[in-house]
Amino acid sequence: MSEAEVWSSLSDATRIVVVTNETVHDLYAAQLRRMLPVEPDFVHIGDGEQYKTLDSFANIMDSLIAMEHDRSSTLIALGGGVIGDVAGFVAATYQRGIGLVQVPTTLLAQVDSSIGGKTAVNHERGKNLIGAFYQPKLVVIDTQTLSSLPQRVYIEGLAEVVKYGIIRDAEFFIWMEQNVDRLLNRNQTTLAHAVRRSCELKSQIVESDEKESNLRLILNYGHTFGHGIENAEGYGSLLHGEAVAIGMVLAADLSVRMGLLSTSVARRIEHLLQNLELPTRLPKKASIERVFSAMKRDKKTVGKQQRHILVRDIGSVSVETEIEPVDVQETLENRTSH
């Protein structure tokens, strides 16, 4: 499909606003501008998880109102997961909803946050506590944008790719084990397959359960621990994908502790993440008490029951609620760096 065909759904647009940050604007704004039927307005927010806030949300809203955008406007989120989540929440709520296009430029956003319709901002007491489900009319993914990413930002996205293999596709997991070097070196053919398969798997799950009432919960594998770690460490200290990588190993450890998973499979999960240069242990300075407390406030907790996504085998996970706090505590203690 040509670039013109990809963007043809916007051919009737009369007003477009692009939400991005300064770095991404300098890299891709001119290229995007050439694809659009009208000259867009641009709104910038800060770069990083620390800007995924109600303040950023309000600043974008103020700009849209000042520019006199209306319900016929289309908002394009150009950037990584933070841009996509904040801008998507704006699109969901500005004048009760305007058109949204996601143009993710990081691996993490391409395989995860741009797909599925979740939009949100963080609160100081928890991650993604304020948001809405809102589907984009279009998602445009160009893996060439990944060549401009710093290595650490690129690698954090691989955590979400690994997640799909663990929760849904054992063959995909084996393929990753066999292609570690190509993934780390950003081989374009390898990357195209990784992104395409990740998107296919997430789309299948979301189509079955858009509002996360049942099956979609498995996409949170590694995130109950991961979000607790992010909140306890302070947003921006660990990248989201790094926290999720640690969270996946913690969840595998808990799965072994619950008698659901063999130690050998848990080691395979840890080894693949390590080979992809992702962290697998809590930082030395991490406070287990703060992580544990933040996990209690996670939005996946219902009543006083935490919902943990635990592994039964590569490609098979389950949602578990009958988990004793002492087992979670012991898992955290077992996986803290010394």
Side-chain angles (χ1 to χ4, degrees):
M1 184 179 289
S2 68
E3 286 185 334
E5 289 173 318
V6 168
W7 291 99
S8 62
S9 63
L10 296 184
S11 59
D12 295 331
T14 56
R15 295 290 305 280
I16 294 174
V17 59
V18 179
V19 177
T20 188
N21 62 42
E22 295 284 355
T23 301
V24 177
H25 183 281
D26 291 345
L27 288 168
Y28 301 116
Q31 181 180 340
L32 176 62
R33 200 183 254 121
R34 290 195 294 271
M35 298 296 105
L36 300 178
V38 296
E39 180 66 20
D41 294 317
F42 283 89
V43 179
H44 294 161
I45 65 171
D47 188 8
E49 189 77 19
Q50 63 271 33
Y51 293 100
K52 189 175 167 180
T53 63
L54 281 172
D55 284 343
S56 295
F57 170 85
N59 289 338
I60 299 170
M61 283 287 192
D62 289 343
S63 296
L64 265 60
I65 293 168
M67 295 171 179
E68 299 183 346
H69 279 275
D70 58 30
R71 295 181 74 176
S72 67
S73 295
T74 296
L75 187 154
I76 297 177
L78 174 67
V82 171
I83 294 289
D85 279 4
V86 179
F89 188 33
V90 170
T93 51
Y94 184 70
Q95 299 197 10
R96 296 195 176 100
I98 61 175
L100 172 65
V101 175
Q102 293 278 5
V103 186
T105 59
T106 67
L107 180 58
L108 189 76
Q110 290 182 359
V111 302
D112 184 50
S113 57
S114 67
I115 303 164
K118 279 187 176 182
T119 71
V121 295
N122 298 332
H123 186 275
E124 62 180 11
R125 291 177 62 81
K127 187 176 174 70
N128 295 331
L129 290 182
I130 306 164
F133 287 96
Y134 195 69
Q135 294 294 347
K137 65 196 299 185
L138 179 67
V139 180
V140 181
I141 294 174
D142 182 354
T143 57
Q144 293 290 339
T145 63
L146 304 182
S147 62
S148 65
L149 294 178
Q151 185 72 348
R152 184 184 175 194
V153 175
Y154 167 72
I155 285 175
E156 71 151 334
L158 293 174
E160 294 285 0
V161 179
V162 171
K163 179 190 76 177
Y164 292 114
I166 297 170
I167 67 172
R168 198 73 169 176
D169 190 341
E171 289 186 7
F172 188 39
F173 187 91
I174 293 169
W175 176 85
M176 283 182 273
E177 289 179 313
Q178 296 170 342
N179 286 275
V180 166
D181 289 342
R182 291 185 180 89
L183 286 167
L184 288 175
N185 292 328
R186 310 190 204 192
N187 176 274
Q188 280 296 312
T189 302
T190 306
L191 261 181
H193 176 69
V195 171
R196 184 182 300 109
R197 187 58 184 148
S198 296
C199 291
E200 288 171 351
L201 290 166
K202 181 161 187 179
S203 296
Q204 290 169 11
I205 294 168
V206 171
E207 286 172 6
S208 299
D209 179 19
E210 182 182 358
K211 297 296 179 66
E212 198 173 76
S213 60
N214 190 4
L215 177 63
R216 186 170 178 167
L217 287 168
I218 70 174
L219 291 169
N220 292 313
Y221 172 63
H223 287 62
T224 300
F225 282 109
H227 287 174
I229 295 166
E230 282 186 276
N231 183 259
E233 289 292 289
Y235 298 119
S237 176
L238 276 175
L239 299 180
H240 174 68
E242 294 171 337
V244 168
I246 298 169
M248 288 194 288
V249 174
L250 288 166
D253 183 287
L254 185 58
S255 303
V256 173
R257 203 173 293 276
M258 295 296 97
L260 301 175
L261 183 68
S262 69
T263 302
S264 62
V265 173
R267 284 177 181 153
R268 276 183 70 195
I269 292 171
E270 182 174 12
H271 288 164
L272 177 56
L273 292 167
Q274 288 174 336
N275 289 339
L276 290 171
E277 300 178 6
L278 284 156
T280 56
R281 285 184 173 272
L282 285 164
K284 289 181 181 179
K285 61 180 172 55
S287 165
I288 291 174
E289 291 74 21
R290 284 203 306 274
V291 174
F292 193 69
S293 177
M295 289 172 64
K296 290 180 182 177
R297 298 191 297 270
D298 190 88
K299 65 186 184 302
K300 292 177 288 298
T301 298
V302 177
K304 293 186 177 180
Q305 284 190 321
Q306 280 188 355
R307 292 183 292 192
H308 286 271
I309 315 305
L310 299 187
V311 192
R312 293 177 176 268
D313 201 353
I314 300 298
S316 175
V317 296
S318 60
V319 182
E320 305 290 338
T321 57
E322 302 297 322
I323 306 295
E324 295 295 329
V326 65
D327 292 312
V328 176
Q329 188 92 8
E330 288 177 359
T331 290
L332 289 167
E333 291 171 353
N334 186 45
R335 303 301 308 184
T336 302
S337 298
H338 300 293

